Amino acid sequence: MSSGTDIYHEMIVDYSRNPINYGEIEDHDVTFHDSNPLCGDSIDIDMKIDDHKVTDIKFHGKGCAICMACTSVLTEITKGKSLDDVKKIEKNDILSELGLEHLQAVRIKCALLSLKVLKSALYTYLGSHLENTEGIDKLKTEAENLY
Amino acid sequence: MQSTESSFENLRNDFPILKRTVRDNKRLVYLDNASTTQKPNQVIDAITDYYQNHNANIHRAVYALAEESTEAYEAARDKIANFVNVKNRQELIFVRGTTEAINLVAYAWGRPHINEGDIIVTTEYEHHSNIVPWQLLTQEKRAKLEYIGMNDDGELNLDDLDKYLATGKVKLVTFSLMSNVLGTITDAEKIIAKCKAAGVLTLIDGAQAVPHMKVDLDTLGCDFFAFSGHKMLAPTGIGILWVRKSVLQTMSPFHGGGDMIREVHKYETTWNDLPYKFEAGTPNIADVIGFGAAIDYLTKIGMDNVRQHEIELTTYAMEKFAKIPGLQIYGTKDITKRGGVISFNFADVHPHDVADIIDKEGISLRSGHHCAQVLMERLNVAATSRASFYIYNTKKDVDALIDSLNIVAKVFKL
Ligand SMILES: Cc1ncc(COP(=O)(O)O)c(C=O)c1O
Ligand SMILES: [Zn+2]
């Protein structure tokens, strides 16, 4: 189990100070907010979507280093992807990028808050643009089962 | 007992948990006492003794065990009454803790007494347990909830109180005697005097005050007072609601069931005497007895000595903190106006990261909103780190905390 200083390597600390894709998209097509009651991480993700593709993504909010680093990495992974590919993003895509595969249970929520917000944003968008309610329900269940 | 560092150091031997190590064989440095405290052998043994030798339900049977059990339960009530100087034991109700005590008042006093347009006043530095029950009540009754604001030193702006009292609509003013985040000791005398002059009732959340300083309910003059055993060496799941008798007599029951009744007929019931009317069902007997043992323990030390010890530790810690660049302490620097709770932020490092890194050094420190999100908003922070002391903490614990903060500084290149 990683804990203490070993998870706080250079990349995490750097990302927490200089997050990637930080900010707001004023004319976003979808935005979503969620927070972690335990440590107060609080994240908004805005996305611009064109032709079933995420053409721009930004996030803002306050969070611990783990949360900020993971959100940065997730937005980088997401940018430019088709919505179908965004659906397929899973937790290990983020964790392995940052060497956090063995994160303690109490910190996993910090690491995965952004993924939860991203998926929620996605089904919010799909819900308002598609008639296919079955698919949306499936997506919803997937988002709810993230933790 | 003499208030010397060595006598407080000696009392660590009474706490078996302090002998264990955590993480990589590190000495346990427990600094989350505002959340809950550790238990001495005297309390643990009292509970064990109850289950091994006296266990029986109370108030219901004539056999020997039931008599012993009832006697021990009621003796604990007397100890607690004496500890906070309550003259009438009928006014002391056993509950699960501060949260249940406040909810009991909101339900059993609030529902019959609060009407549309009435105002309940609380403060910006309350624990959620002294906010949410009032939100529920005021929403149900179409009444209003208002807040006494706070200055940047973490002290209440009592002008706000005057403003609300002047409306003539305030029915209750509720506040904590010591903030669980800032440590601010509220000027209760002043608030109560203002409320009395206006004919308004007062509720005090004593969860942080009673464990750390002498509290005298007879001279304080509020109408409701709540506190929790687990924050003062007693087990979890037991606490106190005190209500002035003249007010208690105007309250409807909270839970219905056994023990709270005098006579039950098919369609009506008469109520038992006070305080039993408010203690429905089989109570938490063992933990009440444990609470009594905790009271004995603290009485022996003396609450003035407890306060003095914490003043020494807090002063020492604040001096050390002041020397760390980038470390910001919230609340007043005036030690006479604060308890042994220090909330801080360290440069741009999130409190959750601080807590995680120093946990590896064996230090138990709380990070987060501390069930006080209204206060976090007021301070304009997402969270804080919080160190809170109790009788078994020493300067060595403070030094360990300072050393561990140096590790945080290194990791985050501060
Ligand atoms: C000021 C204050 N009020 C109320 C509470 C709630 O106490 P309990 O959880 O024991 O009901 C706490 C403790 O967390 C507190 O610090
Ligand atoms: Zn976090």
Side-chain angles (χ1 to χ4, degrees), chain B residues 254-271:
Chain B
F254 182 42
H255 293 149
D259 236 27
M260 52 86 69
I261 52 90
R262 159 118 326 126
E263 282 177 34
V264 177
H265 306 286
K266 239 178 180 171
Y267 300 107
E268 75 248 23
T269 293
T270 50
W271 313 127

Side-chain angles (χ1 to χ4, degrees), chain B residues 88-93 104-105 108-109 113 201 223-224 241-253 273-278:
Chain B
N88 185 348
R89 69 192 308 281
Q90 288 190 310
E91 299 172 334
L92 271 190
I93 300 160
L104 192 160
V105 175
W109 175 83
H113 289 93
L201 299 187
D223 300 287
F224 306 93
L241 170 65
W242 169 83
V243 186
R244 178 180 304 290
K245 190 169 179 189
S246 55
V247 178
L248 198 52
Q249 283 166 327
T250 71
M251 287 166 57
S252 12
D273 294 334
L274 298 173
Y276 308 110
K277 176 181 167 187
F278 294 96

Side-chain angles (χ1 to χ4, degrees), chain B residues 9 158 183 198 223 248 267 272 301 341:
Chain B
E9 178 84 43
L158 294 190
D223 300 287
L248 198 52
Y267 300 107
N272 198 346
I301 298 171
V341 182

Side-chain angles (χ1 to χ4, degrees), chain A residues 49-62:
Chain A
I49 295 166
D50 277 316
D51 196 21
H52 285 270
K53 247 183 161 171
V54 178
T55 54
D56 198 8
I57 178 166
K58 284 205 181 334
F59 80 99
H60 56 102
K62 285 181 184 163

Side-chain angles (χ1 to χ4, degrees), chain B residues 77 80 84 86 88-109 134 202-206 217 223-229 238-244 248 251-252 254 275 278-279 291:
Chain B
R77 196 189 310 268
I80 295 163
V84 288
V86 161
N88 185 348
R89 69 192 308 281
Q90 288 190 310
E91 299 172 334
L92 271 190
I93 300 160
F94 283 117
V95 290
R96 274 196 302 147
T98 307
T99 304
E100 188 175 73
I102 297 174
N103 277 277
L104 192 160
V105 175
Y107 187 93
W109 175 83
W134 308 118
T202 45
L203 184 152
I204 293 183
D205 170 351
L217 291 187
D223 300 287
F224 306 93
F225 193 96
F227 58 105
S228 300
I238 192 67
I240 290 289
L241 170 65
W242 169 83
V243 186
R244 178 180 304 290
L248 198 52
M251 287 166 57
S252 12
F254 182 42
F278 294 96
E279 290 182 359
F291 200 169

Side-chain angles (χ1 to χ4, degrees), chain A residues 54-132:
Chain A
V54 178
T55 54
D56 198 8
I57 178 166
K58 284 205 181 334
F59 80 99
H60 56 102
K62 285 181 184 163
C64 62
I66 303 297
C67 174
M68 297 309 262
C70 289
T71 312
S72 289
V73 164
L74 177 65
T75 57
E76 283 192 295
I77 296 173
T78 306
K79 204 167 186 169
K81 275 207 162 58
S82 73
L83 297 189
D84 280 341
D85 284 343
V86 174
K87 278 189 205 172
K88 289 183 201 133
I89 298 173
E90 36 167 287
K91 61 181 183 186
N92 276 331
D93 297 333
I94 308 172
L95 298 180
S96 62
E97 188 75 21
L98 289 165
L100 296 175
E101 294 93 334
H102 305 291
L103 202 61
Q104 287 167 280
V106 292
R107 296 311 296 274
I108 204 83
K109 290 198 177 193
C110 305
L112 298 184
L113 175 65
S114 55
L115 188 58
K116 188 182 179 202
V117 174
L118 176 75
K119 299 263 169 155
S120 304
L122 183 65
Y123 77 68
T124 304
Y125 176 82
L126 293 174
S128 60
H129 286 78
L130 295 180
E131 258 116 64
N132 174 359

Side-chain angles (χ1 to χ4, degrees), chain B residues 97-99 127 129 180 205 207-208 228 230-231:
Chain B
T98 307
T99 304
H127 188 277
S129 62
N180 68 319
D205 170 351
Q208 293 298 337
S228 300
H230 70 96
K231 292 179 197 287

